[in-house]
Amino acid sequence: MSKRLEGKVALISGGGSGIGRAMAIRFAKEGAHVMIVGRRESALQETAQADEKISYVAADITKTEQVEKVIDTMKEKYGEKLDILVNNAGWCPVQPLKEITLADYDRAFDLDVRALVDVTIQSLPLILNAKGNIINISTVGATHRAPNLSMYVGAKAAVENFTRCWALELAPDGVRVNAIAPGAIRTDIWNVTNLSDEAAKAHEEGIAATIPCGRFGAPEEIASVAAFLASDEASYVSGAVYAVDGGQGAA
Ligand SMILES: NC(=O)c1ccc[n+]([C@@H]2O[C@H](COP(=O)([O-])OP(=O)(O)OC[C@H]3O[C@@H](n4cnc5c(N)ncnc54)[C@H](OP(=O)(O)O)[C@@H]3O)[C@@H](O)[C@H]2O)c1
C-alpha cells in the first residue's frame, strides 16, 4: 500500500460503518491519523480497532455543541490543523412524495445538509491552517433518476453545489473541495429504510437493474477514490464531483 497520506490528519463523519469505515481504514493504511465521528460508540470502537492510527469521538453532528466538542478534541489531539475533512455521515429516506412529512424533510436536511455545513464551518480554521482539502459524499441520485428519494437527492444536490461554490471560494487559500457521488454501495443504509420488506426489495431490485456493471459496489471502492482525492496526487483537482457508480450515472 502506498503512503500518500503520511503525516496527514483526517476527520471523517460517519466513520463507524459502511463507506466511512472503509475510508478511515484506507486513510490510516496510507499513513494518516484519522478521527472518526458518529453516535454509536460500539461501531466507532470496531472501526478504531482496525488500525491504531484511528481514534474516535462519539457525537451527534446535528447538535452544534457536539460538533464543537469534536473540534476541541481534534485540537487537543492533533493541534491547530486539519488536512482532510470527509463529510460522509448521511441518512437516506426512501419515500414517495405522497407519504412524505415535514419530519422526514427535517431529518434528511438536518443531517445531510445542515450538519455538513456546521462541521465544515467549525473545521474551516484548521483546514485553512493546513491548506487542506474537503471531500463531500453525495450520491449518483443527485443528478440522475431517483424515484422515491426526493428528500435525499434534494439534500445531496445542495451538497454538490456547496462543493463547487466552496472550491471557488477556497482555491485562493490553497484549499481543495471535491465530492464523490457513489452509486449503489452495499452498506447498512440499505437496511434502514422505512419501507415494508416487500417494497424495500422492489426498490433495491429497481436500482440494481440500472447498474451497467451489473453489481453493487463495495465501500472499499469509494475509499480508494477518496484516498486519491485526499492526497497530493489530486493537487490540481478541485470543484469536481467524482462518480463512483459502476456506470449508473452514464446510463
Ligand atoms: N451506500 C450507498 O449505496 C450510498 C450511495 C450513495 C451515497 N451514499 C452516501 O454515503 C454516505 C455513507 O453512507 P453508508 O452507505 O456508508 O451508510 P451507513 O453505514 O448507514 O453510514 C452512515 C453513517 O452516518 C452516521 N450518522 C448518522 N447520523 C449521524 C449523526 N446525527 N451524527 C453523526 N453521525 C451520524 C452513522 O453512524 P451512527 O448511526 O453511529 O451515528 C453511520 O456511520 C452517506 O452520506 C450516504 O448518503 C451511500
Side-chain angles (χ1 to χ4, degrees):
M1 178 82 48
S2 60
K3 290 282 181 190
R4 295 176 295 183
L5 304 180
E6 193 74 58
K8 306 277 189 199
V9 173
L11 172 62
I12 303 177
S13 66
S17 61
I19 293 170
R21 174 176 290 177
M23 289 191 288
I25 293 170
R26 177 67 186 244
F27 285 16
K29 279 207 167 68
E30 293 228 23
H33 293 279
V34 185
M35 178 73 78
I36 54 172
V37 185
R39 294 164 304 176
R40 288 167 299 149
E41 190 154 356
S42 55
L44 297 167
Q45 242 166 16
E46 213 177 299
T47 302
Q49 273 161 10
D51 197 301
E52 62 185 18
K53 288 207 280 309
I54 304 175
S55 353
Y56 67 85
V57 51
D60 178 344
I61 60 168
T62 61
K63 310 241 179 333
T64 197
E65 66 284 356
Q66 295 198 22
V67 175
E68 237 172 271
K69 178 183 85 176
V70 173
I71 305 303
D72 286 346
T73 310
M74 290 294 297
K75 285 188 199 162
E76 275 162 31
K77 203 166 164 62
Y78 302 115
E80 294 281 331
K81 75 156 200 166
L82 176 59
D83 299 287
I84 305 155
L85 168 64
V86 186
N87 285 312
N88 164 74
W91 181 65
C92 175
V94 185
Q95 269 161 326
L97 178 62
K98 288 174 190 159
E99 291 168 17
I100 285 166
T101 65
L102 269 186
D104 301 318
Y105 163 87
D106 284 343
R107 186 167 169 202
F109 276 73
D110 274 358
L111 179 62
D112 297 349
V113 177
R114 192 176 183 281
L116 176 145
V117 171
D118 194 9
V119 173
T120 304
I121 290 172
Q122 293 204 45
S123 307
L124 195 55
L126 305 183
I127 298 170
L128 289 167
N129 281 348
K131 293 192 186 306
N133 69 84
I134 301 171
I135 300 170
N136 294 323
I137 303 300
S138 178
T139 170
V140 62
T143 48
H144 294 86
R145 67 183 290 284
N148 301 331
L149 292 168
S150 60
M151 294 302 105
Y152 176 62
V153 301
K156 294 293 194 181
V159 169
E160 292 197 4
N161 282 300
F162 293 159
T163 301
R164 285 184 277 271
C165 203
W166 295 344
L168 293 175
E169 289 180 36
L170 298 177
D173 298 297
V175 171
R176 300 183 293 106
V177 186
N178 293 294
I180 294 175
I185 308 299
R186 185 60 69 194
T187 70
D188 290 348
I189 214 167
W190 290 86
N191 306 328
V192 291
T193 70
N194 38 8
L195 299 175
S196 66
D197 287 353
E198 199 183 323
K201 190 164 174 276
H203 171 70
E204 193 171 319
E205 283 171 359
I207 288 182
T210 67
I211 305 171
C213 283
R215 65 171 174 88
F216 272 44
E220 292 72 20
E221 290 175 298
I222 304 297
S224 56
V225 175
F228 160 70
L229 286 174
S231 77
D232 292 342
E233 282 201 280
S235 53
Y236 202 52
V237 181
S238 196
V241 179
Y242 267 63
V244 187
D245 61 6
Q248 202 183 344

